[in-house]
Amino acid sequence: MTQAEIKLCSLLLQEHFGEIVEKIGVHLIRTGSQPLRVIAHDTGTSLDQVKKALCVLIQHNLVTYQVHKRGVVEYEAQCNRVLRMLRYPRYIYTAKTLYSDTGELIVEELLLNGKMTMSAVVKKVADRLTETMEDGKTMDYAEVSNTFVRLVDTHFVQRCPLVPATENSDTGPPPPAPTLVVSEKDMYLVPKLSLIGKGKRRRSSDEDATGEPKAKRPKQITDNKEPIPDDGIYWQANLDRFHQHFRDQAIVSAVANRMDQTSSEIVRTMLRMSEVTTPSGAPFTQPLSSNEIFRSLPVGYNISKQVLDQYLTLLADDPLEFVGKSGDSGGGMYVINLHKALGSLATATLESVVQERFGSRCARIFRLVLQKKHLEQKQVEDFAMIPAKEAKDMLYKMLSENFISLQEIPKTPDHAPSRTFYLYTVNILSAARMLLHRCYKSVANLIERRQFETKENKRLLEKSQRVEAIIASMQATGAEEAQLQEIEEMITAPERQQLETLKRNVNKLDACEIQVDETIFLLESYIESTMKR
């Protein structure tokens, strides 16, 4: 765990959950697994506050617990899961793209609350959608429920582990902490719920539609309380499935850039056919026959079987080897080499960074060393057609930044420089790790800059919010245009300009965070895939 990762985790925890949770979370990241009382003692926090902080972290899957032989429960932070919080906007946007506003709000609620029952999610999302609709229109629970089922069917949402029924029925003393389990077949099994109803709007008046005061309402609710049909069955967002979708999108985009739209559509069809059957960490997709691919192509693509076979042959013969041929049955069996694809994407990222940092001639040398594997300095000069002095300067610059490495091959055991070959090479894995570390530092700097910008203009932001609230309340009561204009003039022209500049800067920083996270995702996926092999 590097300092850059710890700092980024600290900023993310503080931004999402506040200072106390951040203090406990970072302490666990630094020290590893620890029991409750040791955490309270080391952080100087009261036992009650530590318990609440751990509850929040466990609810959001950021901390796990384990019971040891002596009955001591130890808590351990999941640093990788904390870093995933950076990707929350991307998960939500993906759900919106695939399943419209309803899917977006379902995933948003699950990410914001960590774990929720299906009935609670459906009711909350229906209420939120009803709020945004025109007067007289409401969102039906059944519609939200259908979208939830579709998300589960495509594995974007999955069940949380439960306490097994046998553990509850034991007559002996309860264990120090429950053991949670979930079977593979139940993970995507949706309970049969008959959720009947429509979303409700929040009322701004003190009285309900029936004219009864608010104070009387809680008592009525407790009297008519019915058992929740899916009580105890909690759901969470399946982040691995989202990552699989991001990886597939990156591969499709790479194929489109290298070849054409039809090739990318064929690859997209192959990935879509094997998205649920292929595990997220597998190096290859399941083999698919040419006939199966032809039958599964989108309706709008009117290409013949012969043209499809030509495209598949072209993809299989490509030097990048994104698509490979695994057999001849069924018109030819094809797989997508996910590991090779991620390797190519990581290499392209490294080349792009070298070009931006050191210029096109350095990028030429970098690509040359990548292609030839091992080269002496004289060979680099000759192949790249760059003068000796410049080539030496560029090589040393990249060597000092750890983009390329130097390998010594001695002729004699004494490693004398005159009798040693010095070969330049690119270790993609170590270069990817170095770049990933820099990306973490970049994101931490971006978050700190955004927080600084907001803090510097805090007074102005509060004033703007107050004015907007006054205007909204006056519009609701039917105020005249002149009165609204008068209120708007409370913010002067220079202040308005300052607000515009702040908004533009914050939007730019947010966009930068998302772009850096895309690079982080590619590098992490490549490193994870390489380590598994």
Side-chain angles (χ1 to χ4, degrees):
M1 185 56 52
T2 61
Q3 285 301 314
E5 285 174 280
I6 293 170
K7 185 183 177 183
L8 182 54
C9 286
S10 168
L11 287 164
L12 289 167
L13 286 170
Q14 189 168 8
E15 196 169 39
H16 283 78
F17 305 114
E19 284 181 17
I20 295 170
V21 174
E22 180 261 336
K23 191 178 183 181
I24 304 301
V26 172
H27 174 72
L28 285 172
I29 289 167
R30 288 185 191 277
T31 57
S33 59
Q34 284 198 329
L36 179 67
R37 292 194 180 276
V38 176
I39 298 168
H41 177 266
D42 290 354
T43 55
T45 314
S46 72
L47 208 60
D48 191 44
Q49 283 185 323
V50 174
K51 283 178 183 176
K52 285 175 182 174
L54 286 171
C55 279
V56 170
L57 291 165
I58 290 168
Q59 172 75 7
H60 289 266
N61 300 316
L62 306 176
V63 161
T64 55
Y65 58 84
Q66 197 174 359
V67 183
H68 287 268
K69 286 178 183 176
R70 292 182 180 178
V72 178
V73 181
E74 288 198 345
Y75 299 89
E76 187 177 3
Q78 302 296 309
C79 181
N80 288 340
R81 188 61 183 71
V82 176
L83 293 171
R84 292 296 84 84
M85 286 156 66
L86 188 65
R87 216 163 281 157
Y88 279 8
R90 206 171 163 198
Y91 299 141
I92 293 164
Y93 181 71
T94 302
K96 183 184 175 74
T97 311
L98 297 173
Y99 299 100
S100 73
D101 292 347
T102 313
E104 175 196 8
L105 291 182
I106 289 169
V107 171
E108 188 182 326
E109 285 296 331
L110 287 171
L111 290 172
L112 288 175
N113 295 287
K115 302 177 178 79
M116 286 180 87
T117 59
M118 181 180 169
S119 53
V121 174
V122 169
K123 283 170 187 171
K124 188 88 181 280
V125 169
D127 291 350
R128 283 183 65 182
L129 286 166
T130 303
E131 289 273 323
T132 60
M133 287 177 166
E134 297 169 19
D135 286 341
K137 287 187 177 180
T138 53
M139 174 56 75
D140 203 350
Y141 285 171
E143 204 174 318
V144 181
S145 188
N146 289 341
T147 308
F148 191 96
V149 172
R150 283 165 63 206
L151 279 161
V152 175
D153 288 343
T154 48
H155 296 190
F156 283 106
V157 171
Q158 64 182 19
R159 272 197 194 195
C160 300
L162 301 168
V163 179
T166 51
E167 198 167 302
N168 291 332
S169 60
D170 283 349
T171 52
T179 307
L180 304 176
V181 290
V182 63
S183 63
E184 195 70 38
K185 62 177 174 40
D186 291 342
M187 199 175 269
Y188 304 105
L189 185 69
V190 182
K192 287 186 171 67
L193 298 178
S194 54
L195 293 170
I196 301 159
K198 295 180 186 297
K200 296 176 181 66
R201 293 177 195 274
R202 281 182 297 193
R203 297 188 177 273
S204 55
S205 63
D206 286 335
E207 299 209 346
D208 205 346
T210 55
E212 292 177 12
K214 276 187 177 178
K216 285 187 183 176
R217 257 181 273 151
K219 197 172 181 182
Q220 284 186 337
I221 291 166
T222 50
D223 291 344
N224 303 329
K225 209 167 193 180
E226 292 177 13
I228 303 165
D230 62 340
D231 192 23
I233 302 171
Y234 287 87
W235 298 84
Q236 61 188 0
N238 182 4
L239 303 190
D240 286 341
R241 178 67 186 86
F242 278 100
H243 292 167
Q244 195 179 331
H245 178 76
F246 298 155
R247 180 201 66 199
D248 293 353
Q249 292 296 98
I251 291 169
V252 168
S253 176
V255 171
N257 290 338
R258 185 167 174 81
M259 293 186 177
D260 65 352
Q261 199 62 39
T262 309
S263 302
S264 71
E265 200 56 52
I266 291 165
V267 170
R268 190 199 302 276
T269 303
M270 290 173 73
L271 287 165
R272 195 174 64 243
M273 287 167 74
S274 57
E275 65 186 0
V276 179
T277 55
T278 305
S280 57
F284 296 92
T285 58
Q286 295 292 329
L288 297 164
S289 72
S290 170
N291 295 328
E292 283 178 308
I293 297 165
F294 182 68
R295 284 196 298 272
S296 300
L297 279 171
V299 181
Y301 264 78
N302 297 322
I303 60 167
S304 64
K305 177 73 169 62
Q306 189 182 355
V307 174
L308 173 68
D309 289 339
Q310 286 172 348
Y311 266 109
L312 286 169
T313 307
L314 193 68
L315 284 162
D317 292 343
D318 187 69
L320 288 181
E321 297 178 36
F322 276 29
V323 175
K325 194 170 184 180
S326 62
D328 295 313
S329 57
M333 300 294 284
Y334 294 90
V335 294
I336 290 175
N337 191 332
L338 300 170
H339 176 70
K340 280 262 175 72
L342 288 169
S344 298
L345 291 167
T347 307
T349 304
L350 287 168
E351 284 177 20
S352 171
V353 171
V354 169
Q355 178 142 348
E356 293 299 320
R357 277 179 70 85
F358 308 114
S360 58
R361 297 179 110 191
C362 268
R364 193 198 306 172
I365 291 172
F366 185 78
R367 278 193 290 268
L368 183 68
V369 177
L370 257 176
Q371 192 182 353
K372 302 286 186 184
K373 304 286 191 259
H374 294 90
L375 286 175
E376 285 185 276
Q377 191 169 305
K378 182 74 174 72
Q379 290 174 307
V380 171
E381 294 159 14
D382 294 343
F383 285 134
M385 293 185 289
I386 294 172
K389 190 169 180 271
E390 285 182 42
K392 190 188 291 183
D393 186 42
M394 290 171 185
L395 281 166
Y396 288 178
K397 205 183 284 181
M398 286 192 283
L399 186 64
S400 66
E401 296 273 356
N402 296 323
F403 282 99
I404 62 173
S405 50
L406 195 62
Q407 191 172 344
E408 295 181 8
I409 302 177
K411 292 180 189 175
T412 54
D414 62 352
H415 283 258
S418 59
R419 292 185 295 278
T420 304
F421 291 112
Y422 293 95
L423 301 178
Y424 288 99
T425 184
V426 176
N427 185 338
I428 298 173
L429 188 61
S430 66
R433 282 204 176 108
M434 177 272 299
L435 190 58
L436 182 62
H437 179 253
R438 287 190 177 181
C439 287
Y440 287 141
K441 283 178 86 170
S442 300
V443 174
N445 291 343
L446 286 164
I447 292 171
E448 283 186 327
R449 182 71 205 178
R450 176 163 50 78
Q451 289 175 350
F452 172 78
E453 288 277 345
T454 313
K455 195 176 177 184
E456 283 289 290
N457 297 282
K458 190 179 177 184
R459 187 196 61 79
L460 188 59
L461 283 167
E462 285 173 356
K463 184 181 176 182
S464 168
Q465 285 167 357
R466 279 200 304 274
V467 169
E468 282 173 13
I470 292 165
I471 290 169
S473 64
M474 286 180 76
Q475 281 175 336
T477 53
E480 292 177 12
E481 193 65 40
Q483 289 175 307
L484 294 174
Q485 191 73 33
E486 195 178 323
I487 298 295
E488 277 178 13
E489 283 169 8
M490 284 170 68
I491 297 176
T492 61
E495 284 178 332
R496 206 171 290 281
Q497 196 174 350
Q498 200 177 336
L499 276 168
E500 284 296 316
T501 309
L502 173 67
K503 197 181 285 183
R504 193 165 55 248
N505 289 344
V506 168
N507 287 346
K508 207 178 283 183
L509 290 165
D510 282 338
C512 289
E513 273 179 53
I514 292 164
Q515 283 176 334
V516 175
D517 181 59
E518 284 177 19
T519 307
I520 287 173
F521 171 72
L522 280 179
L523 295 171
E524 277 181 345
S525 301
Y526 167 68
I527 292 165
E528 191 183 335
S529 172
T530 309
M531 296 311 289
K532 277 181 182 172
R533 281 171 74 87

